[in-house]
Amino acid sequence: MGAFLSLPIGPVPISLQTFFVFMAGLLLTPTEAFLTCFVYFLLGVVGLPIFAGGSGGPSSFFAPSFGFVLGFMLIAPIISVLSRKIDLNNYVKSFSILLIAEVVLYALGLVYMYYMLKYLGTDLGTVTAVLQAGLIPFIPGDIAKMLIAVLIAPRIKKAITQI
């Protein structure tokens, strides 16, 4: 769902994918959070157009943004494991968990983006250029997604447990 709302701004589009990964991590068990992202990955790789920009298929591995899709499978269970140790109503701790996950996601995604662009013939050259292409434009939106996830996750979790 989050990939369908995307804005192409460079090698990595702006989308709501990370918001849904945050929510999976905050609301699901570590296994469920991983499996949710893994099934998303599999469906996209086999050809369903569910990645950002309506892409899909094995050629997705060559997209500079694909490292972020791979990272989703790592950060969703990390968020889940860490969030199980806190009260989700503690917004500072919840935000801190999402911030840690973002750092891990960007570490993986930016390295993948750099090497994939280099492989495809676009060498960004400097760390600054990599950060300008794949990190800096996303910071305001990612902070907003983290804040919204932190604010609504406890309410959704409470509603789910009451069912």
Side-chain angles (χ1 to χ4, degrees):
M1 190 75 189
F4 295 131
L5 304 168
S6 66
L7 178 65
I9 63 162
V12 180
I14 292 176
S15 75
L16 292 176
Q17 289 171 292
T18 52
F19 174 75
F20 287 100
V21 173
F22 294 155
M23 294 304 291
L26 291 171
L27 299 174
L28 303 174
T29 67
T31 301
E32 293 166 342
F34 169 78
L35 287 174
T36 299
C37 294
F38 182 68
V39 168
Y40 171 71
F41 159 81
L42 282 180
L43 291 173
V45 168
V46 299
L48 293 177
I50 59 173
F51 295 140
S55 64
S59 63
S60 298
F61 282 105
F62 297 102
S65 61
F66 196 71
F68 292 95
V69 173
L70 296 172
F72 295 158
M73 292 184 285
L74 179 63
I75 70 162
I78 288 173
I79 293 167
S80 182
V81 166
L82 295 175
S83 68
R84 300 269 165 293
K85 300 174 191 255
I86 64 160
D87 176 5
L88 285 183
N89 289 307
N90 185 328
Y91 299 133
V92 172
K93 286 184 180 179
S94 294
F95 186 85
S96 297
I97 289 168
L98 296 183
L99 191 58
I100 291 167
E102 275 285 273
V103 169
V104 171
L105 181 63
Y106 276 106
L108 293 169
L110 291 173
V111 169
Y112 191 97
M113 181 189 80
Y114 172 79
Y115 284 108
M116 191 51 60
L117 286 172
K118 191 171 186 172
Y119 173 78
L120 295 171
T122 306
D123 188 357
L124 294 179
T126 66
V127 171
T128 303
V130 171
L131 296 177
Q132 287 174 337
L135 172 68
I136 294 168
F138 300 92
I139 292 172
D142 285 347
I143 290 171
K145 288 181 255 184
M146 286 188 275
L147 289 171
I148 293 167
V150 162
L151 292 173
I152 66 172
R155 291 167 180 81
I156 293 172
K157 185 83 161 187
K158 183 178 177 183
I160 291 171
T161 56
Q162 290 179 350
I163 296 176

